[in-house]
Amino acid sequence: AQSVTQLGSHVSVSEGALVLLRCNYSSSVPPYLFWYVQYPNQGLQLLLKYTSAATLVKGINGFEAEFKKSETSFHLTKPSAHMSDAAEYFCAVRPRGSNFGNEKLTFGTGTRLTIIP
Amino acid sequence: NAGVTQTPKFQVLKTGQSMTLQCAQDMNHEYMSWYRQDPGMGLRLIHYSVGAGITDQGEVPNGYNVSRSTTEDFPLRLLSAAPSQTSVYFCASTLSTGNSPLHFGNGTRLTVT
């Protein structure tokens, strides 16, 4: 079964510093990969998705993620953190294929990002 | 365009009570799903539907029931509420699968006492 691991349930960075949130998946065939952001008391919002067109994916709010097949990773980065980036971030995977049941999206346990002024 | 709408936003139930969480989408999406979010556990899939009249169980279906009579609506029923069902519930939909992202509602915060 598909699984996804997010290392670090809490990450703190200073304003202006690099943000790095880690995501690793476990499957022999690279799945579809997504990053979502959740602000307090809100639903989840799509940041970016991997479609296999390019290994470096750019998303909203200056975030980007790089797909590395050899490392089964899809880490999320942002060069310079802003106070408004404080939120919880979720990595999610969906297996490739057209069999019934493959529509399900599996989420990691999330990483709460705190920005230090 | 409202997207995915969930009601109510907050609900308090006593153990043993039943209730229905409502979810509606106006994007003509075939696929709809319910997740629950608990601290440290991410989002876990409860039930999902790939079209009107078709539903299936997710990872944590026990104690919940769903039906899909129309494309737009996908209600989640708690048959006999238990404190373990205290959680935040999210409904989501997508046009198709593959690399199509889920669109989420704003959630229902449920407390069972």
Side-chain angles (χ1 to χ4, degrees), chain A residues 13-32:
Chain A
V13 302
S14 297
E15 190 174 15
L18 172 72
V19 175
L20 171 61
L21 305 182
R22 300 178 186 275
C23 172
N24 288 87
Y25 63 88
S26 64
S27 65
S28 55
V29 177
Y32 297 108

Side-chain angles (χ1 to χ4, degrees), chain A residues 32 34 36 38 41-46 49-51 88 90 94-95 97 100-110, chain B residues 31 35 37 40-43 45 48 50 54 56-58 90 94 96-107 109:
Chain A
Y32 297 108
F34 306 82
Y36 285 84
Q38 183 182 31
N41 300 315
Q42 295 187 23
L44 278 72
Q45 177 183 356
L46 180 71
K49 64 180 182 181
Y50 171 65
T51 62
E88 190 154 19
F90 293 92
R94 179 188 284 132
F100 184 82
N102 278 354
E103 304 85 358
K104 291 175 282 188
L105 200 62
T106 301
F107 286 83
T109 53
Chain B
Y31 180 82
Y35 288 86
Q37 182 179 22
M41 304 191 75
L43 279 80
L45 183 64
Y48 68 100
V50 297
I54 307 171
D56 202 355
Q57 296 180 350
F90 287 99
T94 186
S96 62
T97 57
N99 64 7
S100 297
L102 288 178
H103 298 259
F104 283 86
N106 283 331
R109 185 174 296 273

Side-chain angles (χ1 to χ4, degrees), chain A:
Chain A
Q2 286 283 339
S3 72
V4 56
T5 303
Q6 290 184 244
L7 284 177
S9 58
H10 290 85
V11 171
S12 296
V13 302
S14 297
E15 190 174 15
L18 172 72
V19 175
L20 171 61
L21 305 182
R22 300 178 186 275
C23 172
N24 288 87
Y25 63 88
S26 64
S27 65
S28 55
V29 177
Y32 297 108
L33 294 153
F34 306 82
W35 273 101
Y36 285 84
V37 60
Q38 183 182 31
Y39 299 104
N41 300 315
Q42 295 187 23
L44 278 72
Q45 177 183 356
L46 180 71
L47 268 179
L48 49 81
K49 64 180 182 181
Y50 171 65
T51 62
S52 75
T55 57
L56 184 62
V57 181
K58 294 188 183 300
I60 62 172
N61 302 337
F63 284 92
E64 59 185 31
E66 185 173 11
F67 171 72
K68 292 187 177 180
K69 184 177 179 180
S70 61
E71 299 178 6
T72 62
S73 69
F74 191 55
H75 301 332
L76 182 71
T77 60
K78 182 173 181 178
S80 177
H82 192 273
M83 295 300 295
S84 60
D85 295 327
E88 190 154 19
Y89 293 80
F90 293 92
C91 183
V93 300
R94 179 188 284 132
R96 294 180 185 266
S98 58
N99 295 331
F100 184 82
N102 278 354
E103 304 85 358
K104 291 175 282 188
L105 200 62
T106 301
F107 286 83
T109 53
T111 298
R112 184 168 299 278
L113 177 64
T114 300
I115 310 299
I116 303 167

Side-chain angles (χ1 to χ4, degrees), chain B residues 4-44:
Chain B
V4 179
T5 302
Q6 290 184 237
T7 56
K9 291 186 177 181
F10 302 94
Q11 183 70 52
V12 179
L13 290 178
K14 295 186 185 303
T15 298
Q17 288 184 318
S18 63
M19 79 159 294
T20 299
L21 279 63
Q22 302 291 345
C23 175
Q25 54 91 9
D26 61 0
M27 297 173 284
N28 202 31
H29 287 172
E30 287 295 324
Y31 180 82
M32 296 184 74
S33 54
W34 278 101
Y35 288 86
R36 60 177 289 172
Q37 182 179 22
D38 302 290
M41 304 191 75
L43 279 80
R44 292 180 292 168

Side-chain angles (χ1 to χ4, degrees), chain B residues 71-94:
Chain B
T71 298
E72 293 78 19
D73 300 300
F74 190 45
L76 178 71
R77 298 181 188 83
L78 278 69
L79 309 174
S80 177
S84 61
Q85 293 179 305
T86 294
S87 186
V88 181
Y89 292 85
F90 287 99
C91 179
S93 71
T94 186

